[in-house]
Each structure stands twice: as structure tokens, then as C-alpha cells.
Amino acid sequence: MRRALFIPVIVLSLSACQTIPEADNAASIGVNFDFEARHACKNYGGPFARTSPKISLTGVPAGTKHLAFTMVDLDFTSFNHGSETIEYKQAIIPEGALKTYIGPCPPRPHRYKITFKALNADKALVLGKGEATRVWPK
């Protein structure tokens, strides 16, 4: 008698890994910001600053209803410095408006990249994106 070989199959859901599609004519958004002492940790030992810098955006496309924000330390990528989606109201994001922001606190100069994606009303299409990188401490 022949025995059947049972091989368990594991199905993984990749929904969390999916990215939002980008419009064919996605705009290039200009991102400008500067870190100041109040946006970073105090005395390089913490605690982390929670006040995001003022950020100016240019070229935000028509139809933008939300902005997806991320901040990454390019020299220590495993630490999450902030990621959230906010309602788009104006091209100036006021100081302190990003609630998940965790300011830089490196032992030596690091490069920090802030990225914004402009999203449509149902957050299902990227209408534009932009990024800027700054070093802290200067």
C-alpha cells in the first residue's frame, strides 16, 4: 500500500505589504524643512523630541486630500522616526503637527529623510511624492 505524503501549505497574506498605486502623471513634490535644537533630543542623551519641524511643500497636486509622512534615519534604518497620514489642508505643515514624529538623537551626525506622498480622497492613489534629506547635528 502506498502512503500519501502530506505537506502542509502555509498561505501568507501580503495585504500589509502592498503599496498604494501611483498615478501615471504623479507630481514631484518639493519638501523643505530644517532641524533646530527643539526638534532633536537634548544633550544627545534624550529624551527624544516630539515637536516636528515646520515643513513647506511645493507642487502638491490638485485632488490631494491626505499626506502620508515618513521619516527615516538613513544611517540607522531600524529606528522608526515617524509614519502617519494626515489630512491635507495647506502646503505648510506647522511645527508640531506630526504626532508620530520622534526627533533625531544620534551619537554623531546622521542623515534623516522626510518623505511625503500626496493621496486622493480614499487614500487609494498616490498623486505625487517628494522627499528631502538633512543631517543632524549640523
Side-chain angles (χ1 to χ4, degrees):
M1 175 187 233
R2 203 167 186 186
R3 296 183 107 177
L5 180 61
F6 176 71
I7 300 174
V9 176
I10 299 173
V11 178
L12 299 175
S13 171
L14 297 177
S15 63
C17 298
Q18 293 176 349
T19 58
I20 300 170
E22 189 173 309
D24 291 335
N25 60 345
S28 179
I29 298 173
V31 178
N32 190 27
F33 71 97
D34 261 327
F35 289 128
E36 295 181 25
R38 67 183 172 275
H39 306 130
C41 69
K42 301 189 186 326
N43 303 322
Y44 295 92
F48 290 101
R50 299 299 228 159
T51 302
S52 59
K54 175 179 134 183
I55 302 168
S56 300
L57 304 176
T58 56
V60 178
T64 299
K65 300 297 181 192
H66 306 278
L67 294 169
F69 154 79
T70 58
M71 182 169 142
V72 176
D73 179 342
L74 297 173
D75 299 304
F76 190 63
T77 57
S78 64
F79 188 87
N80 181 4
H81 280 276
S83 178
E84 66 186 280
T85 300
I86 60 173
E87 184 179 347
Y88 175 65
K89 296 178 183 177
Q90 60 187 6
I92 302 291
I93 299 163
E95 182 177 51
L98 300 170
K99 301 306 176 202
T100 63
Y101 173 87
I102 300 174
C105 193
R108 64 187 182 292
H110 278 208
R111 298 165 297 139
Y112 295 87
K113 179 171 70 173
I114 287 183
T115 302
F116 281 94
K117 292 182 182 179
L119 305 175
N120 66 350
D122 62 1
K123 303 176 191 172
L125 186 65
V126 175
L127 303 174
K129 62 184 178 180
E131 62 186 42
T133 302
R134 302 288 183 270
V135 174
W136 183 263
K138 300 175 185 181

